[in-house]
Amino acid sequence: MSVALTRGANVSLSRLAPGLRTVRVGLGWQAGGGLDLDASALLCGPGGKVLSDQHFVFFNNLRSPDGAVRHAGASGAVGGDQERIEVGLAEVSAGVEKIVFAVAIYDAVPRRQTFGQVRGAFIRVADEDSGTELARYDVAAEAGSETAMVFGELYRNGAEWKFRAIGQGYASGLAGIATDFGVDVLQPAAPAPASAAAVSAAPAVIPKNQPVTGSSPVTCFFDPSHGQGSTAVLWQPQWGVPRQIEACAACAQRVQTTVPPFYTPPQAGYPQQAQPQVPGQAQPAEGGGRRFGTGAMIGAGAAGLVGGMLINEALSDDAPEVVVNNYYESDDDGFF
């Protein structure tokens, strides 16, 4: 009898089916017209990252290097499964500690599609030899505005293989999952000048059944060193009106999961650009704050000086001094 799991629960497949050799992971959903969902599997090592890009099994890479994980593609809704992935447990490389199963909506951002439009999503694990379903997890009730979700994972526990229900959503689609698990599915970047510093790129989705060519010139809005600005999001700055920007997958995820105004102090994983220091320019206080340029400070000092002169003039019996030209010029673009 199949074990129904809730989010975070796990079950030993080896105990449910002693001698289990191959499992069939079925992923299913009900979606309206125009939604294109794709299942994928990530073979991860001890650090929770994929062993290599080839260990990311998806629509453009249907088999893992060891041949243990095989993407069967669309199943024609057989048994309710939309897509199936087979795993030969005995063939899985010793360096693989877990196999993560995810589903992403293809090209979701420009089409404005989310898992809120998906019904009846589930993942189930069956014995390939007997066809018996061993475990099942229904994730539809826990899905919302995400464009990709990790449904569950197979993982080693000593000599046993277990299955865990996860149900973790990503607002940044397949690129967000790729970032978390260390997959580089970018199109190759154009050759950079010899003097330019090397920049690590953020993941983006590869077009289906198309050769990988070209690259985007747009870099992450928050920090160009993050690489390509692969995800368009609405950003609320600390000062100003909301606007559309393009950010890397990690920054896009942070914007979409942070309460407005989406402003946070410098933190690990998000390097901050150093501000150039101009001689005589006041520096911002620790923890942020507005910066006042040199021109602004000189202007403020001049205003105080002229005010003092006018007061002295009003209280003095001497003839007033005339300011012929009270003009201050500065190359600094300070602001209030």
Side-chain angles (χ1 to χ4, degrees), residues 26-31 37 80 82 103 115-124 136-144 149 151 167:
L27 302 106
W29 53 81
Q30 298 174 15
L37 283 76
Q82 296 295 331
V103 175
F115 265 88
Q117 300 166 265
V118 178
R119 298 290 180 269
F122 68 86
I123 181 172
R124 67 189 189 101
R136 181 187 181 98
Y137 169 48
D138 294 314
V139 299
E142 295 161 3
M149 290 193 73
F151 280 22

Side-chain angles (χ1 to χ4, degrees), residues 44 58 79 126 135 139 182 217 222 231 245 270 301 332 336:
C44 303
F58 69 123
V139 299
F222 295 99
T231 306
I245 57 97
Y270 297 93
D332 187 85
F336 289 93

Side-chain angles (χ1 to χ4, degrees), residues 61-126:
N61 179 40
L62 299 179
R63 183 180 291 262
S64 62
D66 54 16
V69 180
R70 301 172 291 275
H71 199 308
S75 65
V78 176
D81 301 339
Q82 296 295 331
E83 295 194 4
R84 288 180 174 177
I85 299 175
E86 299 174 357
V87 181
L89 301 178
E91 305 167 33
V92 178
S93 301
V96 176
E97 291 196 350
K98 65 180 180 179
I99 304 171
V100 178
F101 300 94
V103 175
I105 301 175
Y106 185 76
D107 209 19
V109 173
R111 298 177 184 178
R112 298 183 179 181
Q113 297 170 342
T114 70
F115 265 88
Q117 300 166 265
V118 178
R119 298 290 180 269
F122 68 86
I123 181 172
R124 67 189 189 101
V125 183

Side-chain angles (χ1 to χ4, degrees), residues 174-200:
L174 186 61
I177 294 176
T179 299
D180 270 9
F181 291 95
V183 180
D184 182 10
V185 291
L186 267 183
Q187 302 173 8
S195 59
V199 176
S200 59

Side-chain angles (χ1 to χ4, degrees), residues 9-320:
N10 65 80
V11 64
S12 173
L13 301 178
S14 300
R15 295 182 185 179
L16 288 176
L20 184 65
R21 299 184 304 172
T22 304
V23 296
R24 181 176 67 242
V25 179
L27 302 106
W29 53 81
Q30 298 174 15
L35 271 80
D36 183 7
L37 283 76
D38 300 294
S40 58
L42 303 100
L43 287 74
C44 303
K49 305 294 184 181
V50 291
L51 298 182
S52 72
D53 289 347
Q54 288 69 42
H55 287 83
F56 177 39
V57 177
F58 69 123
F59 52 74
N60 276 354
N61 179 40
L62 299 179
R63 183 180 291 262
S64 62
D66 54 16
V69 180
R70 301 172 291 275
H71 199 308
S75 65
V78 176
D81 301 339
Q82 296 295 331
E83 295 194 4
R84 288 180 174 177
I85 299 175
E86 299 174 357
V87 181
L89 301 178
E91 305 167 33
V92 178
S93 301
V96 176
E97 291 196 350
K98 65 180 180 179
I99 304 171
V100 178
F101 300 94
V103 175
I105 301 175
Y106 185 76
D107 209 19
V109 173
R111 298 177 184 178
R112 298 183 179 181
Q113 297 170 342
T114 70
F115 265 88
Q117 300 166 265
V118 178
R119 298 290 180 269
F122 68 86
I123 181 172
R124 67 189 189 101
V125 183
D127 184 341
E128 177 67 20
D129 295 331
S130 66
T132 303
E133 181 177 292
L134 304 175
R136 181 187 181 98
Y137 169 48
D138 294 314
V139 299
E142 295 161 3
S145 61
E146 300 87 352
T147 55
M149 290 193 73
V150 171
F151 280 22
E153 65 180 16
L154 287 172
Y155 66 98
R156 298 182 193 266
N157 182 35
E160 295 182 334
W161 278 98
K162 288 189 170 185
F163 175 74
R164 176 183 289 118
I166 296 181
Q168 178 182 351
Y170 288 79
S172 49
L174 186 61
I177 294 176
T179 299
D180 270 9
F181 291 95
V183 180
D184 182 10
V185 291
L186 267 183
Q187 302 173 8
S195 59
V199 176
S200 59
V205 179
I206 298 178
K208 291 186 179 181
N209 303 319
Q210 294 184 15
V212 178
T213 57
S215 62
S216 171
V218 180
T219 57
C220 176
F221 172 84
F222 295 99
D223 192 332
S225 69
H226 289 179
Q228 184 182 16
S230 58
T231 306
V233 291
L234 186 66
W235 175 62
Q236 168 66 64
Q238 188 176 19
W239 297 290
V241 297
R243 64 184 181 208
Q244 189 91 352
I245 57 97
E246 293 189 21
C248 67
C251 286
Q253 177 81 1
R254 182 164 61 104
V255 166
Q256 294 177 330
T257 56
T258 305
V259 177
F262 307 137
Y263 176 83
T264 55
Q267 53 186 293
Y270 297 93
Q272 304 295 311
Q273 295 272 1
Q275 299 291 339
Q277 297 187 5
V278 180
Q281 175 175 300
Q283 300 302 314
E286 183 178 355
R290 292 201 176 194
R291 296 171 55 249
F292 295 88
T294 305
M297 296 185 65
I298 294 177
L305 179 61
V306 173
M309 294 171 61
L310 293 176
I311 293 175
N312 287 337
E313 177 184 342
L315 300 178
S316 174
D317 293 333
D318 298 333

